Amino acid sequence: QVQVVESGGALVQPGGSLRLSCVASGAIAAMYSIEWYRQAPGKEREWVGNGGRTAEFAKDRFVISSADFGKMSYLQMSRLKTDDTAMYICKASIATKTSGGVPSDFWGRGTQVTVAS
């Protein structure tokens, strides 16, 4: 099977920085993409970005990069605001070794980011 695991969430002060990681492992035949989302309490899940694009709220503050042939993704966040408090979740589009090349989406459980003074 495939596992997607996020890490790096923490309590950080406004204006601070944080780097989140997402790693995909298991029976992976091909990686298609990893995207980041976030969900704050009582709010809808919203898209944060991928390696090529970021949401408007993340422009000039968040940078997404990848490594290990796309199996790892990093979300570098700077100038954090209290509004950035949320569970950050990654979604990996992966073709498994038994899927015949057809990709499916695999979600992680998320890592909590809290921005507070």
Side-chain angles (χ1 to χ4, degrees):
Q1 255 301 356
V2 170
Q3 296 81 40
V4 177
V5 179
E6 306 90 339
S7 61
L11 170 64
V12 61
Q13 292 188 339
S17 298
L18 202 60
R19 188 176 87 152
L20 307 182
S21 300
C22 174
V23 58
S25 63
I28 298 170
M31 292 291 304
Y32 282 74
S33 65
I34 290 182
E35 297 184 278
W36 287 90
Y37 292 77
R38 71 182 188 181
Q39 188 164 19
K43 294 188 177 181
E44 297 285 322
R45 183 172 294 183
E46 63 179 344
W47 180 76
V48 175
N50 55 33
R53 298 181 298 126
T54 52
E56 192 61 34
F57 67 79
K59 285 189 190 309
D60 300 324
R61 297 192 302 128
F62 294 4
V63 176
I64 297 172
S65 60
S66 64
D68 193 14
F69 302 101
K71 292 181 182 179
M72 297 195 69
S73 178
Y74 301 102
L75 173 58
Q76 178 69 50
M77 304 184 291
S78 59
R79 303 201 305 279
L80 284 163
K81 308 173 183 179
T82 55
D83 286 348
D84 293 320
T85 295
M87 181 72 74
Y88 284 73
I89 308 157
C90 62
K91 181 186 76 172
S93 179
I94 298 171
T96 69
K97 293 181 179 178
T98 58
S99 71
V102 178
S104 297
D105 291 337
F106 294 86
W107 291 85
R109 293 189 174 187
T111 185
Q112 178 67 38
V113 173
T114 302
V115 184
S117 54

